[in-house]
Amino acid sequence: MPPISVLLVLALLPLACYAERYQPTWESLDTRPLPKWYDSSKIGIFIHWGVFSVPGMGEWFWEEWQGRHEPVFMKFMEKNYPPGFQYSDFAPMFKAEMWNPEEWADLFAKSGARYVVLTSKHHEGFTLWPSAHSWNWNAMENGPHRDLVGDLAAAIRKHPSLHFGLYHSLFEWFNPIFLQDQKNNFTTQNFIREKTGAELYEIVNQYNPEVIWSDGDWSANPEYWNSTNFLAWLYNDSPVRDTVVVNDRWGVGAMCKHGDFFTCADRYNPGHVLAHKWENAMTIDKNSWGLDRMTQFKDYLTIQELINELVITISCGGNLLVNVGPAADGRILPIFQERLLQMGSWLDVNGAAIYDSHPWSTQNDTSSGSVWYTLGADRSTVYAITLTWPDASQLHLGSITHAPSSVKLLGIAHEVSFTFATDIGLVINLPHLPEGKLSWAWTFELSYSTEHASAKSKVVV
């Protein structure tokens, strides 16, 4: 017979396992630690693609046309399509005939991103996978006649540096089941059981996404959306329970309060460190997430603007989710490709200041306002990233309160000379820049002992 102590341990094991399970309450769900890969990755790619890509006037086209009856959209349809044309008639035109998911995956890997989030379903309700809950309004039965989600997931997973994630809209503008629940003041949940809730379980079980980027939650509370029950299952029993992360859009009152990372608003960048992990989901097209054929050159971010956004976001503890809107035929426009490849070339040189980094005690330098700081993964290196190259021959860093043992400019092998005084800070003698090699933002690597870089800097993790 085993010793009593062994029997006692065996008897308590079920209780211990039960205690570790997350309950379907925000109090319990909010205790889950953030999976390390997400904070380490720093940069992701967002893809808004769907039937809305056919008219090519942004992802809200259907609502703007037949919901709000905006004059620009009404005139566009009157001019270009016959009377009686319905939004559903766009679906067969969404062919993705030039789409190569491997080319997309290669581009995203070269961009320096570490995760990819595809719109599995936007507010139009069209699913990019063969959903059992979206009859004839999915990419297998209509339009491309292929599993876009599955094909992209397979291509992404050929790149070890990339994680795969999915955006999913909870509500649908014109779904009659949702509209009936809404008419019932959300006292019924037929839409959750028959459509959107069932889809969430379906995409997790079929595609194992490591990001669930929820949206379209603003019309009802989390109880209607069954959010906490789904998240408890996701964290406890789903095939991605150990690695998945979710955002904060799970019903009225959840945004900026609950979730593994906060988004708080579109294009959110607070400019300072938050107590909770956050993400800046933003667009290269300044005005649209989906393809907008009316966008002018001036409406795209320059690479300087994109790098500035990246640096400030990471310095303040956020992740950057960079959006592109492909064409209906599956092409990513050259200007999007250019921006992503430029970002990748910058990260090839400066990635040590970005990936696996932590916010330092100071984000923006007190003397040089164009300088933003990060703390390296080793916690003994401080990175000072200047968004402008000074006109003078020196860079003054007023926030540096201890002399580093050495200073280097990333991309140049040799050390850089400097002077330090406690009442002035650090003054770096700027080196000569090699022609065409370093552009857009420049990173100085300040080496310290761990004590001076981390402990005395009151690092926020």
Side-chain angles (χ1 to χ4, degrees):
M1 179 177 180
I4 294 177
S5 59
V6 174
L7 291 173
L8 182 60
V9 169
L10 291 173
L12 291 175
L13 276 176
L15 293 177
C17 294
Y18 179 79
E20 293 172 359
R21 290 179 64 82
Y22 296 99
Q23 303 304 305
T25 66
W26 291 123
E27 291 76 16
S28 176
L29 297 170
D30 288 345
T31 65
R32 180 178 185 256
L34 179 72
K36 186 179 185 300
W37 76 263
Y38 176 79
D39 181 53
S40 297
S41 296
K42 303 302 182 186
I43 300 166
I45 301 296
F46 213 176
I47 310 164
H48 274 67
W49 198 33
V51 173
F52 52 80
S53 305
V54 176
M57 294 180 67
E59 72 289 348
W60 275 60
F61 182 88
W62 194 2
E63 169 67 10
E64 299 282 11
W65 170 36
Q66 292 190 319
R68 301 177 182 180
H69 304 292
E70 291 289 343
V72 170
F73 295 85
M74 299 291 288
K75 290 178 182 177
F76 172 82
M77 292 303 298
E78 290 170 5
K79 180 179 179 181
N80 295 287
Y81 296 92
F85 190 95
Q86 299 297 312
Y87 188 79
S88 58
D89 296 327
F90 283 123
M93 303 178 189
F94 177 44
K95 296 180 180 179
E97 68 271 22
M98 299 181 70
W99 184 50
N100 185 327
E102 282 75 22
E103 288 182 358
W104 279 22
D106 290 346
L107 173 64
F108 301 151
K110 290 176 182 176
S111 78
R114 295 291 174 84
Y115 60 102
V116 176
V117 179
L118 171 70
T119 49
S120 67
K121 183 194 78 171
H122 202 260
H123 311 324
E124 64 187 10
F126 187 90
T127 67
L128 300 194
W129 79 99
S131 176
H133 310 285
S134 190
W135 180 81
N136 202 41
W137 195 234
N138 67 74
M140 184 62 78
E141 296 181 287
N142 210 333
H145 297 292
R146 63 189 293 187
D147 182 356
L148 303 180
V149 172
D151 290 350
L152 183 61
I156 292 295
R157 287 174 176 139
K158 292 178 182 177
H159 293 267
S161 63
L162 292 175
H163 296 261
F164 181 69
L166 291 173
Y167 164 108
H168 177 269
S169 174
L170 291 174
F171 98 122
E172 300 172 16
W173 285 310
F174 303 108
N175 188 296
I177 309 174
F178 172 75
L179 295 176
Q180 185 59 52
D181 279 355
Q182 186 178 50
K183 186 177 180 180
N184 296 338
N185 294 317
F186 299 112
T187 57
T188 55
Q189 291 181 297
N190 295 322
F191 181 66
I192 309 305
R193 286 191 298 270
E194 299 175 24
K195 187 66 165 64
T196 204
E199 289 171 345
L200 279 170
Y201 289 94
E202 188 177 46
I203 59 174
V204 171
N205 284 318
Q206 286 187 211
Y207 303 108
N208 295 350
E210 292 184 276
V211 180
I212 298 291
W213 216 99
S214 181
D215 195 19
D217 64 319
W218 52 80
S219 57
N221 60 36
E223 289 72 27
Y224 169 73
W225 298 118
N226 198 38
S227 297
T228 56
N229 285 308
F230 169 73
L231 293 174
W233 170 81
L234 189 70
Y235 292 168
N236 291 325
D237 301 312
S238 79
V240 289
R241 57 187 174 274
D242 296 327
T243 58
V244 71
V245 294
V246 303
N247 67 339
D248 54 353
R249 303 185 182 195
W250 296 100
V252 175
M255 184 181 285
C256 230
K257 293 182 180 179
H258 305 294
D260 296 306
F261 62 91
F262 294 166
T263 62
C264 300
D266 291 348
R267 303 177 180 87
Y268 179 69
N269 188 349
H272 58 83
V273 174
L274 301 184
H276 192 83
K277 185 64 187 181
W278 60 278
E279 182 181 77
N280 177 2
M282 44 73 68
T283 57
I284 294 176
D285 180 332
K286 297 176 185 179
N287 303 309
S288 182
W289 299 84
L291 174 70
D292 188 345
R293 295 184 294 168
M294 298 176 67
T295 299
Q296 302 296 306
F297 182 77
K298 64 181 176 60
D299 297 322
Y300 294 102
L301 291 181
T302 65
I303 184 55
Q304 184 70 62
E305 291 171 322
L306 178 57
I307 296 298
N308 288 3
E309 195 74 16
L310 186 160
V311 169
I312 295 171
T313 296
I314 306 307
S315 175
C316 295
N319 276 21
L320 189 74
L321 188 62
V322 183
N323 181 79
V324 296
D329 60 16
R331 292 174 300 115
I332 293 178
L333 300 188
I335 194 164
F336 289 135
Q337 295 185 42
E338 181 183 51
R339 291 295 175 271
L340 295 185
L341 292 172
Q342 288 171 325
M343 182 175 72
S345 69
W346 186 85
L347 287 164
D348 285 343
V349 175
N350 300 278
I354 303 300
Y355 305 118
D356 301 300
S357 67
H358 310 280
W360 195 47
S361 60
T362 298
Q363 280 65 64
N364 194 202
D365 189 74
T366 55
S367 297
S368 299
S370 66
V371 173
W372 294 79
Y373 292 99
T374 64
L375 180 68
D378 60 4
R379 298 185 181 275
S380 63
T381 307
V382 174
Y383 294 98
I385 309 171
T386 179
L387 303 180
T388 58
W389 189 259
D391 294 329
S393 60
Q394 295 179 321
L395 177 64
H396 178 206
L397 302 179
S399 296
I400 301 301
T401 58
H402 293 85
S405 59
S406 66
V407 175
K408 291 182 179 180
L409 175 64
L410 295 187
I412 295 179
H414 59 79
E415 293 185 5
V416 177
S417 64
F418 63 91
T419 59
F420 175 80
T422 55
D423 58 335
I424 296 175
L426 185 69
V427 178
I428 299 174
N429 298 312
L430 297 176
H432 174 71
L433 291 177
E435 188 70 27
K437 183 178 180 182
L438 305 178
S439 303
W440 309 311
W442 300 264
T443 303
F444 289 92
E445 181 182 82
L446 316 180
S447 296
Y448 290 92
S449 67
T450 303
E451 177 187 5
H452 283 158
S454 183
K456 293 193 176 184
S457 299
K458 300 177 183 177
V459 178
V460 180
V461 181

